[in-house]
Amino acid sequence: PAGGEVLFFPDPAMPCRNGKGCRRNNCTYAHGDTSLIRLLQWLGAAKQTLDVCVFSITCDELSEALLAAHNRGVRVRIISDNDQMATKGSDIERLKAAGMPVRWDKDAAHMHHKFMVLDSRFAMTGSFNWTRAGVLENQENVVILDAPGIAAKYAEKFESLWAAYA
Amino acid sequence: PAGGEVLFFPDPAMPCRNGKGCRRNNCTYAHGDTSLIRLLQWLGAAKQTLDVCVFSITCDELSEALLAAHNRGVRVRIISDNDQMATKGSDIERLKAAGMPVRWDKDAAHMHHKFMVLDSRFAMTGSFNWTRAGVLENQENVVILDAPGIAAKYAEKFESLWAAYA
Ligand SMILES: [Zn+2]
Ligand SMILES: [Zn+2]
């Protein structure tokens, strides 16, 4: 039987920057374990590698978690879609400017994946793009699998796209 | 360790209607095990229930596999997105006309899922919409998990959306 965690969106609110200790009266941000908070915890748990292959990345909280991983020595690599990178709010340029290796598809077809491989052991996939609409508006799902065999298949695809988009 | 199968798109071609016994000279359709053919085999293996929750369904081969399952007594239910249903080529109206129970979201946010639960045992998720572009053009992935615990979580979400979209 597969071990894994399933997350569903939309969340009721974006996470509060003050965390669970927030003392603001009537703070409307989320303080509990939303799906985004769980996903941020997964990114925070990466020790060695994070290979992210996601169509659209515009959610600042997730980009900041990638930057934090990069800054603590995790080898982060990102593949995204060229059409999405041109859209307003894309965080890809910011991540690239921070020294993160980023590649993207060059053609009209969509690099439509939304998967990630974490420490060669965990694989994440689903419908969820890394956007505010994905977090707060749409019906979305993510499954995170503790499954090295499955992770290896996604890692192989990542390497092949990484080479193709060089 | 999770048991499962990972499929990647695009495929080189749509499956040949003549199958592996095709004798057409220079037939340009696919005769081997493409990702779409594997997915059609999964749909063909359903015995009791197929709960399909997919943003966009316009690929005739997949719709026909749903119809075939319905006609052999599998309880097929479909949830899709209202915006997508209005697009040209959507097969949802045809499936509904064939007596298949179909529901859809009523609001502007996207019902963006692309998951399926098969016989309460197998769960499928990933980036893949059931469209020709998904099969032949885009970079897409699907994971099919033999994982009743994970399938139960997707089944619960299916029931809650099914009730919400009544
Ligand atoms: Zn707060
Ligand atoms: Zn043929």
Side-chain angles (χ1 to χ4, degrees):
Chain A
E5 177 170 6
V6 184
L7 303 174
F8 292 104
F9 296 89
D11 278 344
M14 292 304 272
C16 180
R17 298 268 170 185
N18 300 326
K20 297 203 181 189
C22 173
R23 295 185 181 192
R24 281 184 58 197
N25 281 339
N26 308 317
C27 178
T28 56
Y29 290 93
H31 306 95
D33 278 347
T34 63
S35 292
L36 180 59
I37 287 174
R38 281 298 297 144
L39 197 49
L40 293 170
Q41 288 169 349
W42 276 99
L43 293 175
K47 290 189 171 67
Q48 283 145 18
T49 57
L50 265 178
D51 287 331
V52 176
C53 186
V54 173
F55 178 60
S56 181
I57 302 179
T58 61
C59 172
D60 289 346
E61 284 80 355
L62 286 162
S63 297
E64 285 163 21
L66 293 176
L67 274 173
H70 175 73
N71 290 335
R72 73 174 182 268
V74 175
R75 188 200 62 179
V76 183
R77 294 184 296 175
I78 298 165
I79 295 176
S80 192
D81 186 79
N82 60 339
D83 303 320
Q84 285 304 306
M85 288 172 57
T87 62
K88 206 180 148 207
S90 175
D91 290 343
I92 296 290
E93 285 300 334
R94 188 156 64 103
L95 294 170
K96 209 177 157 195
M100 214 146 351
V102 178
R103 294 184 181 176
W104 53 90
D105 76 316
K106 311 287 198 287
D107 56 32
H110 287 316
M111 197 306 290
H112 199 241
H113 289 304
K114 308 102 176 42
F115 77 78
M116 173 174 76
V117 183
L118 200 150
D119 290 341
S120 306
R121 172 174 166 180
F122 302 97
M124 181 207 84
T125 188
S127 66
F128 177 67
N129 282 304
W130 292 18
T131 66
R132 275 183 74 87
V135 176
L136 293 179
E137 295 173 24
N138 299 343
Q139 296 290 334
E140 307 275 8
N141 75 87
V142 161
V143 65
I144 298 132
L145 300 163
D146 181 355
I150 290 174
K153 285 173 190 165
Y154 280 103
E156 187 186 350
K157 175 55 65 175
F158 189 95
E159 295 299 343
S160 114
L161 293 177
W162 190 255
Y165 299 154
Chain B
E5 177 171 4
V6 185
L7 303 174
F8 292 104
F9 297 89
D11 279 343
M14 293 305 272
C16 181
R17 298 267 171 185
N18 301 325
K20 298 202 179 186
C22 174
R23 296 185 179 191
R24 281 184 57 197
N25 282 337
N26 309 315
C27 178
T28 56
Y29 291 93
H31 306 93
D33 279 347
T34 62
S35 291
L36 180 58
I37 286 173
R38 282 298 296 145
L39 197 49
L40 293 170
Q41 288 170 347
W42 276 101
L43 293 175
K47 288 187 174 65
Q48 281 144 18
T49 58
L50 265 178
D51 286 331
V52 176
C53 186
V54 174
F55 178 59
S56 180
I57 302 180
T58 61
C59 172
D60 289 345
E61 285 80 356
L62 286 161
S63 297
E64 285 163 19
L66 293 176
L67 274 174
H70 174 74
N71 289 336
R72 71 174 182 269
V74 175
R75 189 201 60 179
V76 183
R77 294 184 295 175
I78 298 164
I79 294 175
S80 192
D81 186 79
N82 60 339
D83 303 320
Q84 285 304 307
M85 286 172 58
T87 63
K88 207 182 147 207
S90 175
D91 290 343
I92 296 290
E93 285 300 333
R94 189 156 64 103
L95 294 171
K96 208 177 156 197
M100 216 147 350
V102 179
R103 295 185 181 176
W104 53 91
D105 77 316
K106 312 288 199 286
D107 57 33
H110 287 317
M111 197 306 291
H112 199 242
H113 290 303
K114 307 102 173 43
F115 76 77
M116 172 173 77
V117 183
L118 200 150
D119 290 341
S120 306
R121 172 173 166 182
F122 302 97
M124 181 208 84
T125 189
S127 66
F128 177 66
N129 282 305
W130 292 18
T131 66
R132 275 183 75 88
V135 176
L136 292 178
E137 296 172 24
N138 299 342
Q139 296 289 333
E140 307 276 7
N141 75 86
V142 160
V143 66
I144 298 132
L145 300 163
D146 182 356
I150 290 174
K153 285 172 190 164
Y154 281 103
E156 187 185 351
K157 175 56 66 174
F158 189 94
E159 296 298 345
S160 112
L161 293 177
W162 190 254
Y165 300 155

